[in-house]
Amino acid sequence: MAVPLSILDLAHIGPDETAKDSFDASVTLAQRAEKWGYRRIWYAEHHNMKSIASSATSVLIGHVAAHTDTIRLGAGGIMLPNHAPLTIAEQFGTLESLHPGRIDLGLGRAPGSDQKTMQALRRDPSSADSFPQDVLELQGYLGETSRIPGIAAVPGTGTNVPLYILGSSLFGAKLAAMLGLPYAFASHFAPNALHDAVSIYRREFTPSAQLAEPYVIAGVNVIAAETTEQAQEEFLQSKRARVSLLLGRGRTFTDDEADMLLDSPAGQQVLQMAKYSAIGTPTEVRAYLDEFTEFAQADELITVSTGTNREAWLRTFELVAGVSDLVPA
């Protein structure tokens, strides 16, 4: 690959799994990805979702970090309006102190949940409005000078944990450019604004102490298998699982029901989320990723395996690494 490859681990809990099973799988993936040469693994903050185990994101990062040696680990991302900036600075300052040089902090302003869950989190509906100011406050805590006199993050101060702005719209692109921070676009599930957002970010970027030149990470779905047919079948299963998750309201559909829904207008919207997906043999996936890198003007790709079973999930990352000339850290 012309650019580094990374992984977004959704900490999926399968139909017959527990959260502990998911955590064990995340450790296994991270240990193997470290040997295969992936640059980083990120975990996303989601709440009240029965199929995702990464709600306590910083705790999961710490657990995986304790079982690996070199691979970078981080949040992709922390939904900052859910938290006080000081709390996040202390959490990630602790992680950086325990695992120096290996921790990333990606920041988003979405709730990572629905309206009812937002209330359970004690989140004010208007809290997203202060996201830019909260990012600056957090940055101050992790640097040498707090923006709040008399308040310091311990641990945190002076750790300079690198910040990344996450987004799926033009807002995040403009903010990342203004603050001189790396920008990660969620094109693996929100593809529509990718081109415009990246163009704006690169055009408006202002250098900062953290970053001299713009840096774009783009998300892309990946399923690799020994044959194209195997990969396409796994992709079909992943689409069926996604339509059940997003449209089932707690119900799991049969394959026939899921296929009928996928043909409906609502199902087509679900399919649109997976617009950027590399599906096929390792060679076919490699060719797609090369083309996508150029299209997205990306400096790094963060891959998401949508395989519906653990074997296919792990095998995808192994096969992609095998044709991507990755170099372990």
Side-chain angles (χ1 to χ4, degrees):
M1 290 293 297
V3 299
L5 286 185
S6 296
I7 294 171
L8 176 64
D9 179 357
L10 295 176
H12 178 68
I13 304 174
D16 300 315
E17 292 183 334
T18 65
K20 178 63 164 56
D21 294 327
S22 176
F23 299 147
D24 290 345
S26 290
V27 169
T28 297
L29 173 62
Q31 291 172 336
R32 295 184 185 182
E34 187 171 76
K35 295 177 181 178
W36 293 332
Y38 285 90
R39 172 163 291 188
R40 70 185 92 239
I41 300 179
W42 281 357
Y43 308 91
E45 178 187 348
H46 292 283
H47 299 281
N48 195 34
M49 298 185 70
K50 294 181 180 179
S51 61
I52 296 180
S54 53
S55 55
T57 316
S58 60
V59 179
L60 178 55
I61 293 168
H63 175 66
V64 177
H67 289 82
T68 51
D69 298 310
T70 57
I71 194 166
R72 296 193 67 88
L73 300 165
I78 290 293
M79 301 299 105
L80 191 55
N82 291 346
H83 312 275
L86 177 61
T87 299
I88 298 303
E90 291 168 341
Q91 291 177 5
F92 281 79
T94 298
L95 288 169
E96 175 64 23
S97 298
L98 291 169
H99 308 284
R102 296 181 57 203
I103 303 300
D104 299 328
L105 178 48
L107 301 168
R109 66 181 184 126
S113 58
D114 55 27
Q115 294 291 325
K116 191 173 183 179
T117 307
M118 283 177 59
Q119 295 175 0
L121 289 168
R122 303 297 190 267
R123 172 172 170 164
D124 188 304
S126 65
S127 55
D129 296 341
S130 63
F131 180 65
Q133 292 75 27
D134 289 345
V135 172
L136 290 172
E137 183 180 338
L138 172 60
Q139 190 176 48
Y141 291 138
L142 293 171
E144 300 292 347
T145 305
S146 170
R147 289 176 174 263
I148 310 298
I151 304 297
V154 183
T157 301
T159 56
N160 295 304
V161 176
L163 303 183
Y164 298 74
I165 299 297
L166 312 184
S168 58
S169 68
L170 305 187
F171 178 90
K174 289 178 175 290
L175 179 63
M178 181 179 69
L179 299 181
L181 295 176
Y183 181 52
F185 191 88
S187 35
H188 62 290
F189 76 88
N192 293 337
L194 171 63
H195 186 269
D196 289 343
V198 171
S199 296
I200 287 173
Y201 169 70
R202 290 194 174 279
R203 184 172 66 247
E204 299 184 4
F205 180 84
T206 301
S208 69
Q210 178 177 329
L211 194 64
E213 301 287 341
Y215 193 87
V216 172
I217 302 175
V220 59
N221 300 293
V222 176
I223 295 179
E226 276 72 14
T227 69
T228 304
E229 292 73 22
Q230 285 177 300
Q232 289 293 342
E233 176 60 28
E234 188 61 33
F235 189 39
L236 174 59
Q237 295 299 328
S238 74
K239 289 185 286 188
R240 288 168 172 167
R242 180 172 287 194
V243 80
S244 290
L245 174 65
L246 297 178
L247 302 179
R249 297 182 180 180
R251 176 188 171 190
T252 299
F253 299 115
T254 66
D255 287 350
D256 288 342
E257 290 171 333
D259 290 342
M260 288 178 62
L261 275 171
L262 287 170
D263 288 333
S264 71
Q268 290 300 304
Q269 290 182 353
V270 171
L271 291 178
Q272 174 65 16
M273 296 172 65
K275 177 180 179 180
Y276 298 124
S277 296
I279 313 297
T281 64
T283 301
E284 292 168 336
V285 168
R286 166 73 185 262
Y288 183 98
L289 294 180
D290 285 340
E291 293 176 2
F292 178 73
T293 299
E294 184 175 355
F295 171 79
Q297 303 178 67
D299 300 292
E300 180 178 337
L301 298 182
I302 190 158
T303 57
V304 186
S305 173
T306 55
T308 56
N309 66 75
R310 289 297 177 197
E311 183 178 353
W313 180 70
L314 288 168
R315 185 64 172 150
T316 281
F317 294 120
E318 181 180 16
L319 291 173
V320 172
V323 294
S324 300
D325 302 320
L326 303 183
V327 179

